[in-house]
Amino acid sequence: MTGAKRKKKSMLWSKMHPPHYEDIKRWCRRRLPILEWAPHYNLKENLLPDAVSGIMLAVQQVTQGLAFAILSSVHPVFGLYGSLFPAIIYAIFGMGRHVATGTFALTSLISANAVERLVPQSSQNLTMQSNSNVLGLSDFEVQRIGVAAAVSFLGGVIQVAMFVLQLGSVTFLLTEPVISAMTTGAATHVVTSQVKYLLGIKMPYISGPLGFFYIYAYVFENIKSVRLEALLLSLLSIVVLVLVKELNEQFKRKIKVVLPVDLVLIVAASFACYCTNMESTYGLEVVGHIPKGIPPPRVPPMNIFSAVITEAFGVALVGYAASLALAQGSAKKFKYSVDDNQEFLAHGLSNVIPSFFFCIPSAAAMGRTAGLYSTGAKTQVACLISCIFILIVIYAIGPLLYWLPMCVLASIIVVGRKGMLIQFRDLKNIGITYVFTICFAANVDCCLVCLYIAVVIGRFPRAKTLSIKNMKEMEFKVKTETDDETLQQVKIISINNPLVFLNPLDDISKCEQNTLLNSLSNGNCNEETAQCCYNDKSALILDCSGLTFFDYSGVSMLVEVYMDCKDQNVDVLLANCTASLIKAMKYYGNLDSEKPVFFESVSAAISNIYSNKVS
């Protein structure tokens, strides 16, 4: 009797207080995505492509780590650490399967501002002695990495705070043109930063407004200082890299493993420099001493947090926006989902934790992601395998990089920016932000975006709207050749607000995109509306009489709606369009040239539909 009562009491207690094990398990899987995909990892199908991709990625990570550390105004060895720890953290917490987190050009440029401001080059002679016990490096180098680590730590804290506040959804404010402009501008800055190594010129650190132009002015003023040996070696390296990479791209379907030309070039150039003693004979600048091992962790200097808050916000916003764009692109390409808020957490921790290991700020890079695509990577295992090879470099191969000519390293970095520089062809879409990035560097981009948002928000209340039409459905009975009656459904949607990047465009299915063309105060999308693009006997009329102004993102979305409905054999007609909207739509979209798209009024569009059905 006692046992039965105890069992009954236990069952009653379990009903009142259900076990939380499943909730905890679900929470862990949501916050630790590695627990979701790692148990189902297919060794037979995925390990080989991930291993090949990991080796190729390791070469990229090492070369970019060395270069971007110099771009951050810190010792090159810290770039190797910045290529190791963030990749491990992101593999655990991140959701992008082809996102390779590590050193990043824009965040390096931002942190360099703080490093050069707080620990200028002029203070080097005062702190040349080594009392830091950090790999035998001077106090000057340790102070510099301390500033960069502080920027990384504080930027990561800001990202984690945004995760806690669930601010991932606000990232739609940073549109594709803005991100493209910033990354293209960053690539231009990276190429500019490598010019002194390509030409073998000694150049002081130049930054600040219009610093981009001052660098080239300095180069032309000191053109006689160019070392012919460095220039010829740079040109030879660039030609070899471009040719081999193009051949790899042309024959990638016929050959299973591409030639790792970056690695071959590094080995060949280092060996040639060592045998001929180019450093002394020709005066070529080399990477120099790379100490072995990883120092014990150390807390970033918190007393300078207030001095680097501006750079920290730049790292948090710019780095996250660029990384999220790559994660979303990967998810779209390979048909899986990415949680914006989880990415905030992943990148925040990828900045906070590595900052204790002397790492510069990190983010995902387009070049590394494109490399993972091209080499057939399947999962984040490729990034983890690359970390194994980076560890080998840190503990064994690093000192051998002493003889790597800086002009060869610069050539690898410049050729690696090719993909980002190609976006320059879209300058018509990214012009203003690109110019600001070039002239005033990355931090001003955040101010530019904020200004743009303020202007758009300021214009929203003054937007002239006509009488708001609720979406209407009309059915026409049309006689066909067989005298059968068919129903033609016509949906009319009125656009009564500006069509700009502030319209909520994220996390929607294609069939729901047309409902976003309603006024922002017109309510949410509904299933009935969402089905209009699937009815092969329907047509969609967009009344643009209330569309007061638009930008590139708005026009792109409008073109995407047109193309999506066209793919579903649904006619899309636009009525009451301004001349500027018609010009923009024709410029940015491949509109149907056989059927009329633009009409003077809704009634004219309806008449066109009716006449087509009769005919």
Side-chain angles (χ1 to χ4, degrees):
M1 186 70 179
T2 305
K5 287 184 177 179
R6 190 182 297 113
K7 184 177 181 180
K8 185 176 180 181
K9 185 177 181 181
S10 176
M11 293 176 60
L12 181 62
W13 177 263
S14 63
K15 290 181 180 180
M16 295 176 60
H17 302 278
H20 298 289
Y21 172 75
E22 289 298 327
D23 295 336
I24 295 174
K25 185 178 179 180
R26 194 178 301 112
W27 184 90
C28 289
R29 285 186 174 180
R30 190 167 67 250
R31 297 308 170 206
L32 296 170
I34 193 173
L35 299 179
E36 189 70 31
W37 60 264
H40 307 288
Y41 185 77
N42 191 322
L43 288 172
K44 185 177 180 179
E45 294 184 4
N46 298 336
L47 185 58
L48 180 58
D50 281 343
V52 173
S53 299
I55 295 172
M56 301 299 295
L57 176 61
V59 176
Q60 279 186 301
Q61 289 276 38
V62 170
T63 54
Q64 291 182 2
L66 295 173
F68 292 161
I70 296 172
L71 190 62
S72 294
S73 298
V74 299
H75 193 278
V77 72
F78 298 121
L80 298 179
Y81 305 155
S83 301
L84 173 66
F85 291 103
I88 296 174
I89 301 301
Y90 184 84
I92 298 172
F93 293 94
M95 299 184 71
R97 298 175 190 172
H98 296 79
V99 174
T101 304
T103 54
F104 182 54
L106 262 178
T107 55
S108 296
L109 287 169
I110 294 172
S111 64
N113 293 333
V115 172
E116 293 291 344
R117 187 179 73 251
L118 299 179
V119 189
Q121 194 73 29
S122 58
S123 65
Q124 182 174 4
N125 295 331
L126 302 177
T127 56
M128 283 301 292
Q129 67 277 11
S130 179
N131 299 321
S132 62
N133 294 323
V134 178
L135 301 176
L137 299 175
S138 67
D139 290 340
F140 173 76
E141 295 290 356
V142 175
Q143 289 175 15
R144 287 200 146 197
I145 187 57
V147 175
V151 173
S152 178
F153 177 85
L154 194 56
V157 169
I158 293 172
Q159 290 174 328
V160 173
M162 290 181 172
F163 158 74
V164 173
L165 297 174
Q166 299 290 291
L167 296 180
S169 59
V170 304
T171 53
F172 73 89
L173 299 179
L174 293 174
T175 60
E176 180 182 350
V178 173
I179 295 174
S180 297
M182 293 169 65
T183 53
T184 306
T188 309
H189 272 293
V190 170
V191 172
T192 300
S193 70
Q194 302 302 308
V195 167
K196 61 181 180 181
Y197 301 117
L198 295 172
L199 302 178
I201 296 178
K202 297 289 184 181
M203 183 187 301
Y205 179 79
I206 300 175
S207 64
L210 305 181
F212 172 85
F213 302 101
Y214 291 140
I215 290 175
Y216 286 103
Y218 183 93
V219 170
F220 286 115
E221 290 176 0
N222 297 270
I223 197 69
K224 294 182 179 180
S225 301
V226 173
R227 291 190 176 275
L228 185 59
E229 298 83 0
L231 177 59
L232 292 176
L233 188 54
S234 299
L235 291 175
L236 178 62
S237 301
I238 291 174
V239 170
V240 170
L241 288 167
V242 172
L243 285 178
V244 176
K245 286 179 181 288
E246 286 297 324
L247 290 174
N248 283 338
E249 187 66 23
Q250 290 290 330
F251 298 100
K252 65 180 181 181
R253 294 183 179 179
K254 297 181 179 180
I255 55 177
K256 295 182 178 180
V257 180
V258 298
L259 176 66
V261 61
D262 295 358
L263 178 60
V264 172
L265 184 61
I266 289 173
V267 173
S270 301
F271 183 74
C273 184
Y274 171 77
C275 293
T276 59
N277 197 16
M278 291 183 183
E279 183 182 16
S280 301
T281 307
Y282 302 108
L284 288 182
E285 186 176 356
V286 296
V287 170
H289 175 61
I290 303 291
K292 285 184 180 182
I294 300 174
R298 178 181 294 186
V299 178
M302 297 186 180
N303 58 321
I304 63 172
F305 281 175
S306 59
V308 300
I309 187 68
T310 303
E311 287 80 9
F313 267 104
V315 165
L317 298 178
V318 174
Y320 171 75
S323 301
L324 181 63
L326 294 176
Q328 290 176 336
S330 172
K332 184 176 181 180
K333 183 179 180 69
F334 295 97
K335 311 298 182 185
Y336 64 92
S337 61
V338 169
D339 183 351
D340 296 352
N341 285 304
Q342 179 64 26
E343 290 297 290
F344 255 134
L345 176 64
H347 288 288
L349 295 178
S350 296
N351 275 311
V352 170
I353 297 175
S355 68
F356 290 85
F357 294 91
F358 304 92
C359 292
I360 59 179
S362 66
M366 180 184 295
R368 296 193 293 266
T369 299
L372 290 176
Y373 287 162
S374 62
T375 53
K378 302 297 183 181
T379 66
Q380 277 291 325
V381 171
C383 295
L384 295 176
I385 291 175
S386 74
C387 291
I388 296 174
F389 287 94
I390 295 172
L391 274 174
I392 294 174
V393 171
I394 291 174
Y395 280 96
I397 303 176
L400 301 178
L401 295 174
Y402 179 100
W403 299 101
L404 176 62
M406 287 299 301
C407 60
V408 174
L409 178 61
S411 301
I412 294 174
I413 295 302
V414 169
V415 174
R417 302 298 97 194
K418 176 185 173 183
M420 298 174 72
L421 290 173
I422 287 177
Q423 296 177 137
F424 189 80
R425 294 180 300 187
D426 294 329
L427 187 62
K428 62 182 180 292
N429 303 334
I430 63 178
I432 296 178
T433 307
Y434 176 79
V435 171
F436 267 77
T437 305
I438 291 299
C439 295
F440 303 105
N443 277 339
V444 178
D445 288 337
C446 297
C447 299
L448 178 64
V449 172
C450 293
L451 178 62
Y452 184 31
I453 294 172
V455 170
V456 174
I457 291 176
R459 293 185 64 179
F460 256 75
R462 298 197 298 273
K464 180 182 179 182
T465 59
L466 303 180
S467 58
I468 298 179
K469 302 186 181 96
N470 293 325
M471 188 179 63
K472 301 176 182 178
E473 294 183 16
M474 302 181 183
E475 293 183 350
F476 296 91
K477 292 185 177 181
V478 183
K479 291 285 185 180
T480 62
E481 293 181 356
T482 59
D483 292 331
D484 292 331
E485 289 188 347
T486 59
L487 292 179
Q488 168 67 16
Q489 187 183 50
V490 178
K491 290 181 180 288
I492 304 175
I493 297 179
S494 178
I495 307 174
N496 295 303
N497 260 2
L499 198 60
V500 295
F501 76 109
L502 283 176
N503 294 73
L505 304 178
D506 56 330
D507 297 332
I508 57 169
S509 61
K510 289 185 177 181
C511 64
E512 293 172 327
Q513 288 176 353
N514 57 339
T515 61
L516 295 174
L517 299 174
N518 283 319
S519 170
L520 293 179
S521 60
N522 241 13
N524 300 323
C525 63
N526 53 69
E527 294 181 0
E528 182 184 2
T529 307
Q531 293 174 354
C532 71
C533 288
Y534 288 94
N535 189 340
D536 58 356
K537 295 182 179 181
S538 65
L540 175 65
I541 298 177
L542 301 178
D543 179 10
C544 302
S545 57
L547 199 162
T548 53
F549 68 99
F550 54 86
D551 66 359
Y552 167 76
S553 298
V555 174
S556 297
M557 190 271 287
L558 204 57
V559 171
E560 186 176 355
V561 169
Y562 174 86
M563 298 305 296
D564 288 343
C565 289
K566 182 180 177 182
D567 291 340
Q568 297 292 335
N569 296 320
V570 176
D571 294 329
V572 179
L573 300 86
L574 283 77
N576 298 311
C577 299
T578 61
S580 58
L581 178 60
I582 295 175
K583 182 178 179 181
M585 288 280 291
K586 290 181 177 179
Y587 186 75
Y588 291 114
N590 184 23
L591 303 184
D592 195 339
S593 58
E594 298 180 358
K595 298 180 180 179
V597 178
F598 303 99
F599 297 88
E600 295 181 354
S601 63
V602 174
S603 59
I606 294 175
S607 299
N608 177 265
I609 296 173
Y610 183 81
S611 61
N612 288 339
K613 288 300 176 183
V614 171
S615 60

